[in-house]
Amino acid sequence: MPKLTLAQVNSRKPPRKRIFETKVHFKSVSSLKSARLPEGWQRSFENKNVVFSFYDGCDQPKYSIGVLYDMSLRICYYGWKAPRSSCIYSLDITTQTLHGTIKDIESFSICSGLDNSGNGLPHMTTKSMTPFSSEKAPTVRKLAYR
């Protein structure tokens, strides 16, 4: 049988060091000013922050994604803030495209509210109206308790 000597073991080359580079899509809020938005989304600016909103026919936006000056996210669903402990906040907008971030947020399962027993705070979404609408009051689209 062949014998393995210590000289043969040490002659092996060390492994190459692997470098994983993450592509940075957005470095600052100003780089988001020119980003292309998915259809139906709007962009607005508040101080040094940018807000992306999606309206689905209601007075309040279904989704509001605020990107702060430090590139952290703040997310609202029909005006209700997502809790800071939510897994939504694990998203990183700097290393993901804007379309990818929005798709991820839209894919999360969001609580539809409690039953109508009256426990919790009432949350009503109404359809938006214009001065030319024939209705006297906004139409209630959904009532939930949160």
Side-chain angles (χ1 to χ4, degrees), residues 1-125:
M1 278 180 50
K3 291 189 177 186
L4 188 65
T5 64
L6 188 58
Q8 291 171 326
V9 173
N10 289 337
S11 67
R12 185 175 164 197
K13 292 180 184 178
R16 282 189 320 183
K17 188 174 182 178
R18 294 180 182 159
I19 300 172
F20 296 100
E21 292 183 15
T22 304
K23 184 176 180 182
V24 175
H25 291 278
F26 304 106
K27 292 182 180 180
S28 64
V29 171
S30 61
S31 63
L32 288 167
K33 291 180 180 180
S34 61
R36 227 171 33 99
L37 292 175
E39 190 173 331
W41 284 82
Q42 300 173 4
R43 176 184 5 239
S44 61
F45 301 98
E46 296 178 13
N47 299 331
K48 297 178 181 178
N49 310 319
V50 63
V51 178
F52 300 102
S53 303
F54 177 76
Y55 289 85
D56 67 342
C58 292
D59 289 328
Q60 287 197 6
K62 181 175 184 177
Y63 298 105
S64 287
I65 304 167
V67 183
L68 277 66
Y69 63 92
D70 62 355
M71 298 303 284
S72 61
L73 298 176
R74 299 292 184 269
I75 300 162
C76 291
Y77 177 71
Y78 284 117
W80 289 73
K81 289 183 182 178
R84 296 289 302 151
S85 61
S86 172
C87 60
I88 290 176
Y89 289 105
S90 65
L91 297 174
D92 186 5
I93 195 161
T94 59
T95 59
Q96 198 173 14
T97 64
L98 185 58
H99 285 264
T101 303
I102 288 173
K103 276 189 158 216
D104 285 347
I105 291 170
E106 289 176 335
S107 71
F108 282 109
S109 177
I110 298 174
C111 175
S112 60
L114 305 171
D115 61 4
N116 291 337
S117 63
N119 297 329
L121 296 171
H123 174 215
M124 185 183 311
T125 56

